[in-house]
Amino acid sequence: MTETETKRSLSFEDFRAEVLKDYTLAVVSRECSLLGRREVLTGKAKFGIFGDGKEVPQIAMAKAFKNGDFRSGYYRDQTFMMAIGQLDIQQFFAGLYGHSDLEHDPMSAGRQMGGHFATHSLDENGNWKNLTQQKNSSADISPTAGQMPRLLGLAQASKIYRNVTGIENKTNFSINGNEVAWGTIGNASTSEGLFFETINAAGVLQVPMVMSVWDDDYGISVH
Ligand SMILES: Cc1ncc(C[n+]2csc(CCOP(=O)(O)OP(=O)(O)O)c2C)c(N)n1
Ligand SMILES: [Mg+2]
């Protein structure tokens, strides 16, 4: 039985539980955005940028995102990070306030602006973790569309892992190149050359890459 078929055979109770869980996450994430923005506007947080309005497609994306996959995205992806279990409410606000303890802000210990998401590829001793056993995100950078070339590289890595032998520690990074790289970008940022170059190169290289454009009709705050 495939995974999709298993999902289709969910009982009504399980299906209802999943819908309610998704709805709860969407509401929690929305409330985080509204409260976070209020904290910024009243001067309690230095800078804030939030994911309201983009909750549902991110929950859908998280359902298809598997262990070993990589996200290369941008600052609107809080709901996705919550949905893959890499961000909770406490950590969201610790990031907003720039908490300098990694225990509290696991994204960057306050070194990045809030809304810059990441997962850890190294353990506390500096050794590689097994990235095929976790859901991964490269660390967000601030220049719009800067996440695009890295997305392409992550997707190309999967393809290379299918053919290349002799890579040290290979099984920690890839299972026969079966991983997918997931990109997110805002509509305005698709004007950047990096976006076009990445789409073009992905077509030429034929790599396992998904591109999601969060099209809200705005370039952050300008219509
Ligand atoms: C290279 C670069 N230029 C300008 C900015 C300032 N900036 C931050 S977000 C943004 C607009 C992004 O709009 P969009 O891609 O539609 O994303 P949204 O916030 O609407 O989801 C701009 C111009 C930047 N971060 N990087
Ligand atoms: Mg936009």
Side-chain angles (χ1 to χ4, degrees):
M1 199 184 260
T2 68
E3 203 175 327
T4 318
E5 284 164 339
T6 315
K7 283 227 168 92
R8 278 204 200 104
S9 67
L10 275 181
S11 70
F12 179 73
E13 282 70 31
D14 288 348
F15 180 68
R16 183 170 60 183
E18 187 168 340
V19 169
L20 287 175
K21 189 166 146 275
D22 292 345
Y23 179 70
T24 304
L25 174 58
V27 172
V28 164
S29 181
R30 174 67 62 95
E31 290 299 322
C32 282
S33 296
L34 299 181
L35 182 56
R37 190 168 288 117
R38 211 180 312 153
E39 289 294 85
V40 174
L41 294 177
T42 53
K44 295 193 208 76
K46 57 194 174 0
F47 176 85
I49 193 157
F50 305 103
D52 41 333
K54 299 165 177 70
E55 292 90 352
V56 174
Q58 294 185 18
I59 289 173
M61 182 173 136
K63 287 185 191 298
F65 194 93
K66 296 202 166 72
N67 282 350
D69 287 357
F70 254 97
R71 161 190 173 274
S72 184
Y74 81 122
Y75 51 79
R76 298 291 185 196
D77 289 345
Q78 75 199 38
T79 313
F80 175 76
M81 295 304 287
M82 289 174 175
I84 64 168
Q86 296 288 349
L87 180 70
D88 62 25
I89 302 171
Q90 188 87 17
Q91 293 164 340
F92 175 83
F93 282 98
L96 184 67
Y97 300 130
H99 203 303
S100 57
D101 185 342
L102 206 57
E103 287 285 315
H104 293 276
D105 173 23
M107 301 300 155
S108 72
R111 287 168 171 78
Q112 292 234 66
M113 291 183 284
H116 284 53
F117 306 113
T119 55
H120 293 254
S121 300
L122 303 178
D123 65 20
E124 49 286 350
N125 299 315
N127 298 314
W128 285 107
K129 295 165 79 176
N130 186 338
L131 305 188
T132 68
Q133 300 297 309
Q134 64 180 37
K135 296 186 164 67
N136 301 286
S137 173
S138 57
D140 294 1
I141 52 175
S142 300
T144 56
Q147 72 273 31
M148 292 290 105
R150 185 165 48 187
L151 171 68
L152 179 71
L154 288 163
Q156 190 183 10
S158 282
K159 190 170 179 185
I160 289 172
Y161 271 118
R162 290 175 201 165
N163 304 314
V164 175
T165 53
I167 298 179
E168 195 190 339
N169 224 356
K170 183 175 170 176
T171 52
N172 268 8
F173 304 122
S174 180
I175 300 173
N176 302 321
N178 207 25
E179 296 74 26
V180 174
W182 299 74
T184 64
I185 187 167
N187 56 305
S189 304
T190 62
S191 304
E192 296 265 11
L194 295 171
F195 172 78
F196 288 98
E197 290 171 26
T198 297
I199 289 284
N200 183 54
V204 172
L205 294 169
Q206 292 287 293
V207 290
M209 191 183 99
V210 179
M211 184 76 81
S212 295
V213 180
W214 301 155
D215 182 0
D216 54 11
D217 232 21
Y218 277 78
I220 200 166
S221 56
V222 180
H223 203 271

